[in-house]
């Protein structure tokens, strides 16, 4: 079963700012995820400072420093992509810019 990919406003803005090569890898990863939701992992941070404002799942984009954070609705077969983080960022401040509402 293929999921529908929905982009939160913030995610879309972040996506549009990526260099073409990274953009292509992120889009490819999204294409893979909508057909393979089992690749997603629950995001369970090891410390409170790394907790996003919403419960979410995550996926590391191969060949990049990017991590996708999203909410998956199994009943509706939808994935709502919320935020793109960078593994080089300070993990204690990673979600300072993440919007709760999407």
């Amino acid at each position: 079963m293929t999921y529908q990919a929905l982009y939160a406003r913030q995610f879309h803005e972040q996506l549009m700012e990526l260099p073409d090569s990274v953009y292509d890898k992120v889009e490819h990863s999204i294409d893979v995820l909508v057909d393979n939701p089992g690749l997603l992992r629950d995001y369970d941070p090891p410390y409170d400072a790394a907790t996003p404002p919403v419960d979410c799942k995550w996926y590391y984009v191969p060949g990049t420093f990017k991590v996708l954070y999203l909410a998956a609705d199994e009943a509706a077969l939808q994935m709502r992509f919320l935020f793109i983080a960078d593994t080089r960022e300070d993990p204690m401040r990673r979600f300072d810019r993440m919007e709760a509402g999407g």
Side-chain angles (χ1 to χ4, degrees):
M1 293 183 278
T2 299
Y3 279 59
Q4 178 185 16
L6 305 171
Y7 295 175
R9 181 188 54 79
Q10 182 178 28
F11 182 90
H12 183 263
E13 289 170 359
Q14 290 177 297
L15 187 62
M16 294 298 104
E17 294 173 355
L18 296 173
D20 289 345
S21 61
V22 177
Y23 175 94
D24 291 343
K25 290 176 182 176
V26 169
E27 282 292 328
H28 176 73
S29 290
I30 292 168
D31 291 343
V32 169
L33 289 172
V34 296
D35 289 326
N36 302 282
L39 295 173
L40 293 171
R41 298 290 171 250
D42 290 334
Y43 184 67
D44 186 18
Y47 38 84
D48 290 342
T51 302
V54 295
D55 287 336
C56 57
K57 296 185 179 291
W58 68 277
Y59 180 79
Y60 173 75
V61 179
T64 73
F65 293 104
K66 301 302 181 188
V67 180
L68 309 180
Y69 291 91
L70 62 139
D73 183 336
E74 293 177 19
L77 294 177
Q78 293 179 335
M79 289 182 187
R80 183 165 180 78
F81 291 84
L82 304 170
F83 189 70
I84 302 172
D86 193 296
T87 59
R88 299 168 293 184
E89 292 174 313
D90 178 356
M92 301 296 280
R93 307 194 62 76
R94 179 168 293 150
F95 298 108
D96 288 356
R97 296 176 294 113
M98 184 176 180
E99 297 172 1

